[in-house]
Amino acid sequence: MPKNKDAVYYSDYLKLDTLLAAQQPHSPKYGAEAHDEMLFIIVHQVYELWFKQVLHELRAIHADFSKPQLDDKALYLVAHRLRRVLTIQDLMNDQVAVIETMTPQEFLEFRDYLVPASGFQSIQFKELEIRLGLTRKTRIAFDQQSFYNRLNDHDRSYLEELEQQPTLFDCVDAWLARMPFLEFKDFKFWDMYQKAVNEALDHDEAIIRENAVDDDQLATELKGIQANRDNFAALFDNDRYKVLQENDAVRLSQRAMLSALFITQYREEPAFNLAWQVITSLAEVDEKLTIWRYKHAMMVQRMLGTKIGTGGSSGHDYLRRTTEQNRVFKDFFAMSTYLLPKSALPILPERVREALGFSSLSALEKGHGAT
Ligand code: HEM
């Protein structure tokens, strides 16, 4: 690395003059300064900085996934960067406690000066959602409106253009779908797997029948088991799978779903470990974002009660509903329904393990040394 030419001064490098001059409360324009407005501004700005870093990581991950091939080195970097995103998300979730030190009354001292600005207009947050894969079809609208109505033309066209690009979800789907290990010629893995899952569901059904308190509870729980059986059967039937997709019961393509299931079942195998880490981390990104939505919604309820938001939504009620609806990688969570304990998994024959790239392990086991 070449040596730097000019001496660097801490505050110049970090542009602290600009950064620290950017906290400008509005309350003094109307009377005495509301003490807590400074906290409100700084907390939002800190979030926007973390959004910026998260987007920096996600754009790089997205670019890697957009390539036709993703080798192990690139996949390692993706997993590494996703772990960084998750660590930042933990921080963002904990940070809700800081804004909660402001009481609702303290907030009322300056709230009216903010109208009609709103978190809806956080373009970085909306980019984060869109880049991950939240679409107009999947996201919840507030009072039949779109947050797009609240944006200026520049921001609206930036996000609308982004919506036209394949999302990270689309790229991950394509990556999983092109994995080559779903057909094994004469080894009927998926037949064995279906049999094992059906046995596990039979076992669950027997437990439900033994423990049901009354007929209503029994009927509800049996309905749940039947839905699981139907969804599982549909994984292996093109037409039924399409119906699940049309009904928004699943979003991943059928091939991607089976790959994800296979990887998750055999995650300890070296060839699948990185892919499994990536799948799990994406599910965690979704989970931690949902936790943020929930914490933000609870904080908003404390601050506003049932008042509407400055952006015109129903406030807490809208935000609470986003925690259920605005999810991207739901399929990775639903997949757990069909996971089997290691002991119940079909054992992969040696030739299949070798074909899947577990041969270094096989060689070690045979005493031939690692490759
Ligand atoms: C006193 C504190 C806060 C209150 C009362 C509040 C209130 C609200 C309300 C009511 C909404 C729904 C949209 C609307 O009608 O305006 C909203 C959305 C939002 N807020 Fe906050 N908020 C607060 C703090 C924060 C902080 C610290 C952040 C951090 C960046 C934030 C980010 C957002 C985002 C990104 C949305 C859009 C969420 C979505 O559409 O799913 N808010 N907020």
Side-chain angles (χ1 to χ4, degrees):
M1 200 208 298
K3 201 172 171 321
N4 61 324
K5 290 192 205 122
D6 306 313
V8 179
Y9 193 63
Y10 178 84
S11 56
D12 293 341
Y13 178 66
L14 296 174
K15 301 269 181 287
L16 290 187
D17 282 353
T18 314
L19 188 68
L20 299 178
Q23 296 70 41
Q24 300 186 1
H26 276 204
S27 48
K29 284 198 239 168
Y30 306 97
E33 177 173 339
H35 176 83
D36 293 80
E37 196 179 352
M38 182 61 85
L39 177 80
F40 186 81
I41 293 173
I42 289 182
V43 170
H44 278 85
Q45 288 178 338
V46 170
Y47 269 108
E48 289 294 335
L49 283 175
W50 284 128
F51 292 159
K52 184 169 182 171
Q53 183 64 39
V54 166
L55 282 173
H56 183 64
E57 305 299 344
L58 284 184
R59 286 189 194 117
I61 292 167
H62 199 167
D64 276 337
F65 269 112
S66 306
K67 292 177 190 151
Q69 292 255 307
L70 198 62
D71 61 23
D72 270 5
K73 241 170 145 177
L75 202 57
Y76 169 79
L77 211 53
V78 165
H80 174 64
R81 287 173 173 159
L82 279 173
R83 272 196 300 276
R84 179 177 294 160
V85 168
L86 292 170
T87 308
I88 295 173
Q89 283 186 285
D90 282 338
L91 197 65
M92 291 200 292
N93 289 346
D94 286 348
Q95 218 169 274
V96 175
V98 180
I99 193 86
E100 279 180 330
T101 62
M102 177 172 72
T103 67
Q105 258 185 330
E106 286 164 342
F107 181 45
L108 285 177
E109 291 296 332
F110 61 93
R111 178 182 190 243
D112 285 355
Y113 308 140
L114 312 179
V115 177
S118 155
F120 275 149
Q121 296 159 343
S122 168
I123 300 309
Q124 293 202 100
F125 185 79
K126 292 296 162 191
E127 172 167 350
L128 179 67
E129 291 184 331
I130 293 170
R131 194 170 283 284
L132 285 174
L134 202 62
T135 61
R136 285 188 195 217
K137 191 168 157 242
T138 47
R139 80 161 68 245
I140 195 155
F142 73 97
D143 313 328
Q144 281 76 53
Q145 290 192 53
S146 159
F147 70 91
Y148 277 96
N149 299 342
R150 301 286 185 270
L151 304 186
N152 66 29
D153 292 347
H154 173 271
D155 289 346
R156 189 179 315 111
S157 51
Y158 176 71
L159 293 181
E160 280 175 346
E161 209 169 294
L162 194 69
E163 278 187 325
Q164 303 310 313
Q165 314 298 323
T167 65
L168 187 58
F169 177 92
D170 299 328
C171 298
V172 169
D173 187 290
W175 166 67
L176 285 169
R178 66 176 180 259
M179 286 198 180
F181 47 75
L182 292 179
E183 279 103 35
F184 303 105
K185 296 192 181 120
D186 53 334
F187 173 58
K188 303 271 182 239
F189 170 78
W190 290 110
D191 286 355
M192 292 164 72
Y193 187 71
Q194 273 172 280
K195 195 165 164 276
V197 171
N198 282 326
E199 279 168 12
L201 289 171
D202 288 345
H203 177 69
D204 288 352
E205 184 172 328
I207 292 177
I208 286 173
R209 286 186 186 282
E210 270 169 35
N211 294 295
V213 183
D214 57 41
D215 286 352
D216 282 352
Q217 190 206 359
L218 180 65
T220 312
E221 292 188 0
L222 288 181
K223 221 170 135 192
I225 287 274
Q226 191 52 45
N228 284 341
R229 284 189 198 281
D230 291 346
N231 287 351
F232 184 65
L235 294 187
F236 304 95
D237 180 319
N238 297 357
D239 294 332
R240 287 176 70 181
Y241 195 84
K242 265 192 212 125
V243 175
L244 284 188
Q245 278 183 311
E246 280 158 17
N247 295 337
D248 293 328
V250 287
R251 187 165 167 198
L252 281 173
S253 66
Q254 189 179 11
R255 252 190 100 89
M257 184 68 125
L258 289 176
S259 281
L261 197 52
F262 195 86
I263 291 168
T264 309
Q265 286 287 197
Y266 292 97
R267 64 182 177 275
E268 287 147 31
E269 300 288 358
F272 288 159
N273 195 265
L274 268 178
W276 174 73
Q277 284 181 42
V278 167
I279 291 177
T280 313
S281 295
L282 288 169
E284 268 184 71
V285 168
D286 215 23
E287 184 175 341
K288 287 180 195 292
L289 190 55
T290 303
I291 291 171
W292 183 83
R293 288 186 196 281
Y294 188 74
K295 287 187 139 194
H296 173 260
M298 294 298 285
M299 181 269 291
V300 168
Q301 189 178 30
R302 254 178 69 177
M303 290 291 172
L304 300 181
T306 52
K307 288 192 198 109
I308 60 163
T310 47
S313 79
S314 53
H316 168 257
D317 188 53
Y318 158 76
L319 295 167
R320 184 187 49 76
R321 283 182 292 131
T322 65
T323 62
E324 269 300 309
Q325 179 75 22
N326 289 2
R327 305 269 305 275
V328 176
F329 294 103
K330 264 187 180 175
D331 294 331
F332 291 152
F333 291 84
M335 222 172 53
S336 307
T337 320
Y338 317 120
L339 292 187
L340 294 172
K342 269 266 165 267
S343 55
L345 265 184
I347 295 168
L348 298 177
E350 186 62 16
R351 68 195 151 72
V352 172
R353 298 184 76 217
E354 276 174 17
L356 292 174
F358 307 152
S359 49
S360 56
L361 192 70
S362 312
L364 268 181
E365 283 165 352
K366 286 182 208 149
H368 294 169
T371 50

